[in-house]
Amino acid sequence: MSTARRVLVLHGFTQNASIFSKRLGALRKQAKDVEMVFLDGPHILEYADIPGDPTALGGASTSLEDPSLIPRAWWRWKPDSQKAEGLEETLVFLRDRLNVERFDGVMGFSQGAALAGLLSALCPHDSKQQLEHPERYPPFLVDGQPPHPPFKFCVAVSGFKLLDSLSHEIFSSGYSTPTLHVLGKTDIVVTEERSNMLLEVSRNQRLETHEGGHFVPTKSNWGRFLAEFLRSAPSPDIPSPSAIKAAESASSSAAPSGRATPVTGEQEQGGSANGKFVASL
């Protein structure tokens, strides 16, 4: 009897497991056959830790005393020292979780996407006889071994490469886990330049773009695409969101005779025309 796929899901800065789970409610419904496991970042944020309005980052408007509204993070960024404060504690926290649970893949948004890439690089991947490098952060090992088998895939939405020295070490030769990168064309929180730095170290990548900003796209074509990706990645045969949208448009505008009519209007463009992973570096 086959078991459902399990995906580790990592929220963004100022969010938490509850907030991110609610924001992905439509995706969870479309991917009912996939178990999405949402974790809370171990670091609770104070107002002084949050630049500007947390809602602009997809987080809570207030923490109050409700645990479901407490803003959290995987680390606090210290620009003066180029240091991700708390990253080491987060990696140990995730090491202990990965040592007792198994996941087919990892998905993250924004800061969570940056972390998903780091985790993918730390868990060994034997595709094409290439190995990741967990030894580059020895505290991540358990009795000298990685705590978790390789992820089958990684999904990084609005991801970026952390500029911390530990991140540089982990990514020094890139990583091979098949990774779907989802970027918003009008994202002003994580700019194209920052996202490209993660793309540059992602050796086995697929890129899809949407017309919006700093969020996980939720239109029907994107929901269908992401749900299918979580089910069957890294299959190269998953149609891109733009192809799904074109098919939806053709179906909805079909003539009574059943013949499809031409699709008109601007179509949302995907970054992967053939829907396949491409080698990088």
Side-chain angles (χ1 to χ4, degrees):
M1 181 177 179
S2 61
T3 58
R5 269 194 164 190
R6 303 186 79 232
V7 180
L8 177 64
V9 187
L10 308 174
H11 62 77
F13 184 72
T14 77
Q15 295 182 338
N16 58 41
S18 176
I19 291 171
F20 198 36
S21 176
K22 290 177 181 177
R23 291 186 181 276
L24 295 187
L27 176 59
R28 288 189 290 107
K29 289 180 180 179
Q30 287 187 286
K32 288 182 178 179
D33 52 340
V34 177
E35 183 182 357
M36 300 174 69
V37 180
F38 294 79
L39 294 188
D40 275 328
H43 305 293
I44 294 176
L45 298 172
E46 304 294 338
Y47 283 112
D49 298 318
I50 304 172
D53 181 2
T55 59
L57 303 174
S61 58
T62 177
S63 63
L64 299 177
E65 295 180 357
D66 185 348
S68 69
L69 295 178
I70 294 176
R72 292 178 174 270
W74 304 103
W75 61 79
R76 297 177 180 86
W77 179 242
K78 301 297 180 182
D80 293 341
S81 60
Q82 295 285 288
K83 176 69 175 175
E85 184 180 83
L87 175 60
E88 291 87 351
E89 292 87 343
T90 288
L91 291 177
V92 170
F93 163 73
L94 290 171
R95 175 203 67 190
D96 293 343
R97 189 67 178 255
L98 292 172
N99 193 42
V100 297
E101 291 191 59
R102 291 293 176 261
F103 300 93
D104 295 281
V106 58
M107 175 180 182
F109 168 67
S110 195
Q111 191 185 75
L115 180 58
L118 283 172
L119 281 183
S120 297
L122 283 169
C123 290
H125 195 275
D126 56 8
S127 175
K128 299 180 181 179
Q129 305 303 311
Q130 294 176 333
L131 298 177
E132 308 297 15
H133 302 281
E135 75 281 356
R136 288 180 176 163
Y137 186 57
F140 192 71
L141 302 175
V142 177
D143 296 329
Q145 298 297 321
H148 193 277
F151 292 120
K152 295 176 182 176
F153 64 90
C154 171
V155 180
V157 182
S158 294
F160 58 91
K161 180 177 177 288
L162 183 59
L163 298 179
D164 183 89
S165 59
L166 177 55
S167 173
H168 287 313
E169 177 64 20
I170 293 172
F171 283 132
S172 60
S173 60
Y175 74 105
S176 306
T177 303
T179 300
L180 168 66
H181 300 269
V182 178
L183 305 180
K185 293 182 178 179
T186 61
D187 191 339
I188 60 174
V189 177
V190 176
T191 62
E192 182 179 1
E193 179 182 9
R194 296 180 70 197
S195 296
N196 284 341
M197 294 175 68
L198 182 60
L199 286 167
E200 287 171 0
V201 297
S202 180
R203 291 181 171 180
N204 192 4
Q205 62 175 256
R206 175 172 177 174
L207 172 63
E208 298 286 353
T209 59
H210 63 92
E211 299 296 332
H214 194 66
F215 54 79
V216 180
T218 58
K219 290 184 178 180
S220 63
N221 58 321
W222 275 95
R224 289 177 59 187
F225 168 71
L226 290 172
E228 184 58 32
F229 196 91
L230 296 181
R231 289 189 196 99
S232 56
S235 169
D237 300 322
I238 303 170
S240 68
S242 57
I244 293 173
K245 182 177 181 179
E248 289 177 342
S249 298
S251 176
S252 64
S253 61
S257 63
R259 297 175 58 187
T261 56
V263 177
T264 60
E266 182 179 355
Q267 294 183 358
E268 197 171 30
Q269 295 299 310
S272 176
N274 59 8
K276 297 184 178 181
F277 283 96
V278 295
S280 175
L281 293 182

